[in-house]
Amino acid sequence: AQSVTQLGSHVSVSEGALVLLRCNYSSSVPPYLFWYVQYPNQGLQLLLKYTTGATLVKGINGFEAEFKKSETSFHLTKPSAHMSDAAEYFCALPYNQGGKLIFGQGTELSVKP
Amino acid sequence: KAGVTQTPRYLIKTRGQQVTLSCSPISGHRSVSWYQQTPGQGLQFLFEYFSETQRNKGNFPGRFSGRQFSNSRSEMNVSTLELGDSALYLCASRRTSGGPTDTQYFGPGTRLTVL
């Protein structure tokens, strides 16, 4: 069965520090993977997605993620956190032609001044 | 281009009532998916509609139903509301139903509270 696991329901970093949000997946077929962000009282916004080709994917707002098949991981990073990055982040796996997204449990990112 | 819109944004109902939520996709998008978001269960898929046909269905009881109209607008209905149905209901649209790499674009959600 396909699944997504996000390690750490809450991550706290200082402004300017590295952001690392972890995502591991389980899939019987080559996966596609997405990262979404959700700000308070809003819907989800796509940060980036891995389809095929380059394993290092760059997204919006300075985020990037690296697909590592050997580790079944797709961790999200940002070199320097900003206060505006405080939000909840979701890793997702499209299923059955993509109409269904299987989401991880989400990681809430806090950024301290 | 306008994004996905959902109405109403907030709704309060009592147990046993029914509710209808509406979703207007991005212009030109033909696929609409619905999700339920709760603190305990996270984001769970309800169903997907494409060209007025349900293509995927999640693990929810029959009280949850949906439909899509010829203009791609979609509605979901929950009958005989239970306290546990309190959640944020998110709608997402994408251009086609043909590919898993198609991005789903989300609306702001409808916050349903059941008293």
Side-chain angles (χ1 to χ4, degrees):
Chain A
Q2 293 176 291
S3 65
V4 175
T5 302
Q6 291 182 241
L7 191 61
S9 59
H10 188 263
V11 169
S12 182
V13 301
S14 298
E15 194 171 19
L18 171 72
V19 175
L20 171 60
L21 305 181
R22 299 177 188 273
C23 171
N24 287 89
Y25 68 88
S26 173
S27 176
S28 56
V29 297
Y32 304 108
L33 291 156
F34 296 73
W35 274 101
Y36 281 89
V37 61
Q38 185 178 33
Y39 298 101
N41 298 315
Q42 294 188 28
L44 278 67
Q45 179 184 5
L46 181 72
L47 276 175
L48 50 80
K49 64 180 178 182
Y50 169 74
T51 55
T52 56
T55 55
L56 183 61
V57 182
K58 294 189 185 300
I60 62 171
N61 302 338
F63 284 93
E64 63 182 35
E66 186 170 10
F67 174 72
K68 292 187 177 181
K69 186 178 177 181
S70 60
E71 299 177 8
T72 61
S73 69
F74 190 55
H75 301 331
L76 182 71
T77 60
K78 182 174 180 177
S80 176
H82 192 271
M83 296 296 290
S84 61
D85 295 326
E88 190 154 19
Y89 293 80
F90 294 92
C91 184
L93 187 67
Y95 176 78
N96 197 10
Q97 293 305 308
K100 170 181 178 178
L101 288 173
I102 299 171
F103 285 93
Q105 304 91 317
T107 298
E108 186 177 354
L109 175 66
S110 301
V111 182
K112 299 174 291 188
Chain B
K1 194 183 254 191
V4 178
T5 58
Q6 293 187 245
T7 55
R9 290 293 312 277
Y10 301 91
L11 208 45
I12 299 175
K13 292 286 187 180
T14 56
R15 276 182 300 174
Q17 288 187 308
Q18 77 165 18
V19 67
T20 299
L21 312 181
S22 181
C23 172
S24 293
I26 292 171
S27 177
H29 286 197
R30 298 171 63 194
S31 167
V32 173
S33 298
W34 289 88
Y35 297 85
Q36 182 196 65
Q37 185 177 23
T38 59
Q41 300 298 316
L43 280 155
Q44 294 188 287
F45 172 78
L46 282 154
F47 26 66
E48 181 206 10
Y49 286 87
F50 175 75
S51 290
E52 303 177 65
T53 301
Q54 188 179 86
R55 291 180 58 91
N56 286 289
K57 189 176 189 309
N59 254 357
F60 279 82
R63 300 186 296 108
F64 292 81
S65 63
R67 59 178 176 168
Q68 187 180 34
F69 302 94
S70 58
N71 62 358
S72 294
R73 191 176 69 84
S74 177
E75 288 181 348
M76 67 162 282
N77 183 275
V78 188
S79 63
T80 320
L81 284 166
E82 300 177 359
L83 295 179
D85 297 332
S86 294
L88 181 67
Y89 290 87
L90 292 162
C91 161
S93 76
R94 58 190 187 127
R95 281 183 297 123
T96 71
S97 77
T101 61
D102 258 359
T103 298
Q104 290 193 26
Y105 294 89
F106 284 80
T110 294
R111 172 77 61 186
L112 172 65
T113 302
V114 182
L115 302 177

